[in-house]
Amino acid sequence: MEDRIQIIKRVNELRKLLHGYSHSYYILNHSQVPDAEYDRLFSELEELEAKYPELITIDSPTQRVGSKPSVSFRQWHHAVAMLSLDNAFSVTDVLAFDSRIKERLSLEQTTKIVYLCEPKIDGVAVSLIYEDGVLTRAATRGDGIVGEDITQNIKTIPSVPLVLRSNSVPTFLEVRGEVYFPLESFHRLNFESQRRGKKLFANPRNAAAGTIRQLDSRITASRPLDMFCYAIGEIRGHRALPKTQSDVLHKLTTWGFRVNGDVEVIFGIENCIAYYNFMATKRDFLSYELDGIVYKVNSLEQQTKLSSSSHAPRWSIAHKFQAREEITQIAAIDFQVGRTGILTPVARLNPVFVGGVTVSNASLHNMDEVWRKDLRVGDTVIVRRAGDVIPEVVAPIKDRRLENSSALAMPSCCPICGSKITKNADEVAIRCTNVLFCKAQLKESLRHFASRSAMNIKGLGDELIDKLVDLDRVKNFYDIYQLVPEDLLVLEGYGEKSAGNIMASIARSKHTTFPRFIYALGIHEVGEITAQNLANHFRTLDAFMVASREDLEKVANVGVKIATKIEDFLKKSGNCELIGKLMEIGINWPKLEDFSEKKLWGKSVVITGTLETMAREVAKEKLIYLGAKVSENVSRSTDLLIAGVNPGSKLAKARNLEIKVLNEEEFLGILKED
Ligand code: IVH
């Protein structure tokens, strides 16, 4: 009895949650929880209802096709219901689907069914109606029976034909497809909204839903929605009716609709799974969000035999990809102190599997971001990880917030050294003021100094640096060169051999290059390229150390901001003293040749795309050897662009500005001449 009460309670709880989530999803264009969580709760409810059918009520979310239409738009009754799809989350689910199909069609289990595999676009389902070849109506899916009339908004999408192409058009045609928000535009839209302090969209689908349901079509028109079409709802007054789903797509194409280019007719379910695996990789490189693959029995005759349930066709299934969004809890928020003293809040998460990896930490970037998203310790949050992108905490789920939670407070002092915190008015970052003695900052500076692109001290890794700093054996760069083997031998895990190797690489690092040395100093904002440009310009350490801000501004890519940072650094007597001591212990580099006779002397060069014969770093060094200044971005002052494979927007910009462009072969030609 107790059990039964628990089950009824859970069923009611699930219904309440699902109703709430689908209301905010469909009506408010705002996802409260990731799809994966919604799907899990939905499956749990379905399973309970399957086990206890007497508990099914007509208002259960499982009994409804979709969502209620909003009252802001005119309603539109779909003549043929717009169904949903059943989901498959595993290969087992997919094989069971294929097996059911054969059973229903009375076919041997060894038969191979022909499927059409289509990318499942993560957008908003829409129905378009053409009368005598003219677009007369467009509607959202709504609850599958009644949707919203969004005709004006649909007409703003350039790829939606207003009039059908071809002479042979049906008298009445209803086409279905997915309206979506291209990824790059989505990121741009959110970037702009953030800059203006406006609300952000949690994902491209919400952005598409919010845009297609704008009451002001001018706003819709200003955003780059697009649409892929994938079905015919109803067709009248046409002789040549399609016989397969692939025919349907072909017809749609000839009438002028945009059909996804990755669709494929596939023989047998095993090959469908291979296609799924292929697309799961390709997904990261597409310009739109995919959330799975839809398998559709290709023959329309077989589709008719299989028919549909009240909410989904039996001839199709959506094989979902691994979720890119999941939920977990923020166990703590710590602050990490970087090389330049910036304190970065980091969320310590209860580990969660998302986008193919287990995520337990996520940077929250800065306090403004934490407050804007209103993230608190103990919050249940949506975590997102797409492709190789670093994991992001998207938003808290506010109705699961702990009662006693409070907004994150600005730290009162540096968590590592206890010093005061400052914040410059023009920065979002907060910093530890103890520039010289904060151990966290020192550790980061030493890591940078010893790194491969800087002094390249092999063996002086994170762990050793931590130990040497904690023991106060190393307090600055100079101390590295004062180390003796005994300093390492006393540490756990170091023997004669490893200590000897590290001592040797410290000694080797004294022979370096001028640009590497400048880079190793870790001056704010001075990356490798700027260090190269500074070395080329000033040629000697003495000239560099006395440079004024005006002198510095003459260097390629150095503006007021970077010049000021360098000047500040050089002005600090502690820094000059340290550099002096480093020179005394014998850090040296070959004198730079007289570059003014070099072929590319003074020329500003940009590299774009992938070079096939050499790494970009090597190309950069070669250019600098020829006297060029290498920059990241194309501007009016660029003299030359070297374009490899997949050059992207820099090439277009260079062409616009009529800048000379060399391909890789021509670039190699120049190198050979030298
Ligand atoms: S077929 C009766 N094909 O997925 C068949 N749907 O989860 C109904 N979707 O409401 C849809 N790409 O919004 C189909 N290639 C595709 C799709 C697709 C995305 C969406 C559509 C549908 C939802 C079902």
Side-chain angles (χ1 to χ4, degrees), residues 335-343 413-421 430-447 465-466 469-470 472 474-477:
F335 286 88
Q336 268 176 2
V337 186
R339 170 164 64 84
T340 56
I342 293 179
L343 266 67
C413 60
C414 171
I416 307 298
C417 70
S419 309
K420 272 213 309 237
I421 300 291
I430 49 175
R431 289 174 192 274
C432 163
T433 48
N434 184 359
V435 184
L436 284 181
F437 302 108
C438 174
K439 284 193 172 169
Q441 289 185 53
L442 175 60
K443 285 176 184 173
E444 290 304 318
S445 303
L446 292 169
R447 287 192 228 295
I465 290 176
D466 285 350
V469 172
D470 291 339
D472 287 330
V474 172
K475 298 199 179 84
N476 53 44
F477 303 150

Side-chain angles (χ1 to χ4, degrees), residues 508-558:
R508 241 191 336 266
S509 78
K510 289 185 182 173
H511 309 288
T512 183
T513 66
F514 188 25
R516 275 177 179 275
F517 180 74
I518 297 181
Y519 175 64
L521 293 173
I523 307 169
H524 296 193
E525 314 258 356
V526 176
E528 277 176 88
I529 292 188
T530 308
Q532 291 271 12
N533 289 335
L534 286 165
N536 276 356
H537 185 93
F538 291 106
R539 336 264 331 132
T540 65
L541 182 64
D542 290 343
F544 173 58
M545 288 189 51
V546 297
S548 67
R549 209 170 69 198
E550 291 70 37
D551 295 337
L552 289 161
E553 277 182 48
K554 288 189 194 123
V555 179
N557 279 343
V558 175

Side-chain angles (χ1 to χ4, degrees), residues 159-220:
S159 65
V160 171
L162 300 180
V163 177
L164 299 184
R165 290 159 65 99
S166 144
N167 295 328
S168 152
V169 299
T171 51
F172 182 94
L173 175 71
E174 190 214 339
V175 170
R176 294 174 178 183
E178 200 82 354
V179 166
Y180 68 92
F181 213 106
L183 277 173
E184 202 188 316
S185 318
F186 165 72
H187 294 304
R188 208 174 316 131
L189 174 72
N190 262 358
F191 178 76
E192 273 303 307
S193 304
Q194 178 167 0
R195 220 169 48 96
R196 300 203 186 132
K198 293 205 297 204
K199 205 181 130 229
L200 305 190
F201 286 111
N203 53 45
R205 190 195 43 225
N206 286 161
T211 305
I212 202 65
R213 295 167 72 247
Q214 268 290 336
L215 289 170
D216 183 349
S217 300
R218 286 168 304 180
I219 298 183
T220 312

Side-chain angles (χ1 to χ4, degrees), residues 174-333:
E174 190 214 339
V175 170
R176 294 174 178 183
E178 200 82 354
V179 166
Y180 68 92
F181 213 106
L183 277 173
E184 202 188 316
S185 318
F186 165 72
H187 294 304
R188 208 174 316 131
L189 174 72
N190 262 358
F191 178 76
E192 273 303 307
S193 304
Q194 178 167 0
R195 220 169 48 96
R196 300 203 186 132
K198 293 205 297 204
K199 205 181 130 229
L200 305 190
F201 286 111
N203 53 45
R205 190 195 43 225
N206 286 161
T211 305
I212 202 65
R213 295 167 72 247
Q214 268 290 336
L215 289 170
D216 183 349
S217 300
R218 286 168 304 180
I219 298 183
T220 312
S222 71
R223 298 189 191 155
L225 287 179
D226 213 338
M227 180 169 183
F228 283 123
C229 293
Y230 48 68
I232 292 177
E234 205 186 344
I235 180 165
R236 278 184 259 139
H238 193 66
R239 269 168 297 125
L241 291 179
K243 290 195 164 46
T244 59
Q245 171 65 10
S246 44
D247 273 357
V248 168
L249 298 186
H250 177 71
K251 275 212 166 302
L252 291 178
T253 313
T254 57
W255 284 324
F257 295 96
R258 193 161 164 259
V259 169
N260 191 289
D262 279 315
V263 295
E264 236 173 89
V265 178
I266 288 185
F267 195 64
I269 200 71
E270 292 77 12
N271 292 325
C272 292
I273 292 165
Y275 170 88
Y276 168 94
N277 290 331
F278 168 71
M279 288 302 290
T281 316
K282 187 163 178 182
R283 174 191 195 200
D284 290 339
F285 303 97
L286 292 173
S287 59
Y288 47 87
E289 193 89 285
L290 283 194
D291 62 343
I293 299 296
V294 185
Y295 306 137
K296 296 176 179 171
V297 170
N298 199 33
S299 148
L300 299 190
E301 193 189 330
Q302 287 184 332
Q303 285 189 8
T304 312
K305 276 193 197 151
L306 290 160
S307 78
S308 301
S309 75
S310 64
H311 85 112
R314 295 198 179 87
W315 42 264
S316 180
I317 201 155
H319 190 183
K320 298 293 270 292
F321 285 139
Q322 246 164 20
R324 295 190 188 275
E325 284 184 1
E326 263 301 349
I327 57 173
T328 187
Q329 265 189 317
I330 300 186
I333 298 179

